Amino acid sequence: MTPHLADTPVLETERLILRAPGPQDWPVFRAMMASERSRFIRSGEIDEGQAWRAFGHVIGHWILRGWGNFVMTRKGDDAALGAVGPWFPAGWPEQEIGWSIWSQEAEGRGFAFEAAQAARGFAYDVLNWDGAVSYIDPDNTRSIALAERLGACRDDDAATPGDAPCLVYRHPVPDGLADGGMEAYS
């Protein structure tokens, strides 16, 4: 773990640990970004240098904001499965809860749902957010289904980041949630 992220909170769910990103996560991120699986989070073909800068963006968000996307791992296994968490880079219209599964083997197992609930709970309970959105590529049916499973509703009047086609899913406000899905912070 990078020294500046040593005090990053760790979230724990039933099956997962959500922790700070670190250099050990780069190979999994790089492989995902080089594959067709990353088509919904990049605007075109991406080379290793661009993937490196994107990964630096994930780590840098923690340094600049003091919070950001957590890397999700299975309990007892530190291998990165993907990233999830609060996200608000400069120029974003609203605070976002974002997610991406990096490991193809992790898809379809409910990890993103479990992690996103915990990350949203962290954003509401610790960061004191009063709401959040998720920005989703219109062709990303799996992310749309996840947003809806999380109780988010499409908001066609909301501003979007950039010029690429994007749907905005608005999450329930903190008072509208029975349980954030998070078991523990440390």
Side-chain angles (χ1 to χ4, degrees), residues 64-136:
L64 293 168
R65 294 269 192 226
W67 45 267
N69 274 197
F70 294 92
V71 169
M72 67 179 104
T73 67
R74 285 188 191 108
K75 285 182 176 177
D77 180 358
D78 196 45
L81 301 175
V84 63
W87 192 246
F88 193 48
W92 237 235
E94 295 187 61
Q95 296 166 321
E96 179 183 19
I97 300 298
W99 51 79
S100 60
I101 297 294
W102 301 349
S103 167
Q104 188 169 3
E105 294 76 34
E107 287 188 357
R109 296 176 172 221
F111 293 140
F113 176 73
E114 190 174 319
Q117 282 186 305
R120 183 174 62 190
F122 175 81
Y124 288 176
D125 298 343
V126 176
L127 302 179
N128 296 312
W129 286 12
D130 58 5
V133 299
S134 290
Y135 298 113
I136 302 174

Side-chain angles (χ1 to χ4, degrees), residues 143-186:
S143 277
I144 290 168
L146 175 56
E148 290 173 349
R149 185 173 176 206
L150 288 164
C153 297
R154 192 165 152 181
D155 182 351
D156 292 333
D157 296 323
T160 62
D163 297 327
C166 179
L167 300 176
V168 179
Y169 277 80
R170 189 162 304 282
H171 289 266
V173 297
D175 292 344
L177 296 172
D179 176 14
M182 186 171 28
E183 294 179 6
Y185 303 115
S186 59

Side-chain angles (χ1 to χ4, degrees), residues 9-97:
V10 174
L11 310 184
E12 185 175 330
T13 69
E14 181 180 338
R15 300 178 296 163
L16 302 171
I17 299 293
L18 281 64
R19 59 158 174 79
Q24 72 275 22
D25 304 320
W26 163 242
V28 179
F29 181 83
R30 178 183 59 214
M32 183 271 301
M33 289 300 284
S35 76
E36 178 62 20
R37 296 183 59 252
S38 68
R39 70 190 175 279
F40 298 122
I41 59 172
R42 58 178 167 78
S43 58
E45 291 306 311
I46 189 166
D47 63 28
E48 185 171 21
Q50 292 166 318
W52 176 263
R53 289 186 290 282
F55 189 66
H57 192 113
V58 173
I59 293 172
H61 195 285
W62 277 99
I63 303 299
L64 293 168
R65 294 269 192 226
W67 45 267
N69 274 197
F70 294 92
V71 169
M72 67 179 104
T73 67
R74 285 188 191 108
K75 285 182 176 177
D77 180 358
D78 196 45
L81 301 175
V84 63
W87 192 246
F88 193 48
W92 237 235
E94 295 187 61
Q95 296 166 321
E96 179 183 19
I97 300 298

